[in-house]
Amino acid sequence: VTANQGLWCHVLSEIEMADAKQIAKCVKEGGKKGVELAGCADLGGLEFFTTQMQEPKGDVDLLQMCMDAANKEVDPAEEESKGGSGEVGKMLLSAGDAGLALINYVPASKADKVNAEEWMAATLKEVGGGEVRKSSPTTCVAYVAEDKATGRFVLKDKDTCQAQSVQFLKAKGLFPQADEEEDDWVPDEDADIEW
């Protein structure tokens, strides 16, 4: 091994370690979010959520890892519960410097209520669309690139997409409407869940 080859191997292993750390953060965040969503669904009876994830930083593949971790079966042997929201429909959004990653998931048991492709299309409509990278009736993955020249900004698109996702669910009757007589229950604001 030459000195240059050794240097590249060292740099590559540092990059791989950084990637492994980021992946671990995403899996952890997804697992925790899964527990929160499953708990909210159990307590509030909600079947669909729209929420933001921080760790993927706009990376579609990392956001997919969050979704997989959120949907993972809870392992009773683990000290801390993770996942468990496989029967909860959800839209996850993650903003990064270059763009916005989105992924939705509709459990097979709820496929008669929502089509993931329609949900994603409705969510992306107000931002002029995006690049749909994976599409099926139960899950869609999309990316919206920032383009300052045309007035497309990640943070604005994130807020618009989150609101559009909620509007889609409300139009389907799958999101709670404000009821003035039942004001004793307030969702946890720290959960970053859009109600």
Side-chain angles (χ1 to χ4, degrees), residues 50-54 58 91-96 99-102 123-124 126-127 144 146 152-166 192 194:
T50 297
T51 190
Q52 299 177 26
M53 305 301 285
Q54 303 302 315
M91 171 80 72
L92 304 180
L93 302 96
S94 178
L100 175 68
L102 303 94
T123 300
L124 295 172
E126 289 298 313
V127 296
V144 180
E146 181 168 88
R152 182 174 252 178
F153 298 95
V154 174
L155 295 178
K156 181 180 171 190
D157 286 350
K158 177 188 66 159
D159 293 342
T160 301
C161 286
Q162 186 162 358
Q164 287 303 118
S165 176
V166 170
D192 279 333
E194 180 72 29

Side-chain angles (χ1 to χ4, degrees), residues 176-184:
Q177 302 295 324
D179 186 353
E180 295 176 19
E181 292 183 26
E182 293 185 28
D183 61 356
D184 59 338

Side-chain angles (χ1 to χ4, degrees), residues 15-123:
I15 291 169
E16 289 171 352
M17 284 179 51
D19 288 347
K21 286 181 182 178
Q22 191 60 35
I23 289 169
K25 287 180 181 179
C26 290
V27 169
K28 182 177 181 178
E29 183 182 23
K32 285 180 148 188
K33 190 65 73 174
V35 169
E36 290 173 11
L37 295 177
C40 289
D42 289 345
L43 292 175
L46 293 172
E47 300 175 282
F48 293 90
F49 292 88
T50 297
T51 190
Q52 299 177 26
M53 305 301 285
Q54 303 302 315
E55 291 301 333
K57 298 177 178 31
D59 184 284
V60 172
D61 294 327
L62 293 176
L63 189 58
Q64 178 68 61
M65 290 178 189
C66 285
M67 181 66 80
D68 293 343
N71 288 340
K72 184 185 118 191
E73 290 282 327
V74 175
D75 182 353
E78 286 186 1
E79 188 174 316
E80 183 180 355
S81 292
K82 296 179 198 117
S85 68
E87 285 301 310
V88 178
K90 60 191 86 54
M91 171 80 72
L92 304 180
L93 302 96
S94 178
D97 293 336
L100 175 68
L102 303 94
I103 183 171
N104 66 11
Y105 166 78
V106 178
S109 63
K110 294 175 177 43
D112 61 325
K113 296 179 180 181
V114 174
N115 176 290
E117 294 167 315
E118 292 174 8
W119 188 6
M120 185 63 77
T123 300

Side-chain angles (χ1 to χ4, degrees), residues 116-152:
E117 294 167 315
E118 292 174 8
W119 188 6
M120 185 63 77
T123 300
L124 295 172
K125 183 179 177 184
E126 289 298 313
V127 296
E131 177 190 353
V132 177
R133 297 187 177 176
K134 178 182 173 186
S135 181
S136 78
T138 58
T139 190
C140 283
V141 178
Y143 185 76
V144 180
E146 181 168 88
D147 185 357
K148 293 177 182 171
T150 62
R152 182 174 252 178

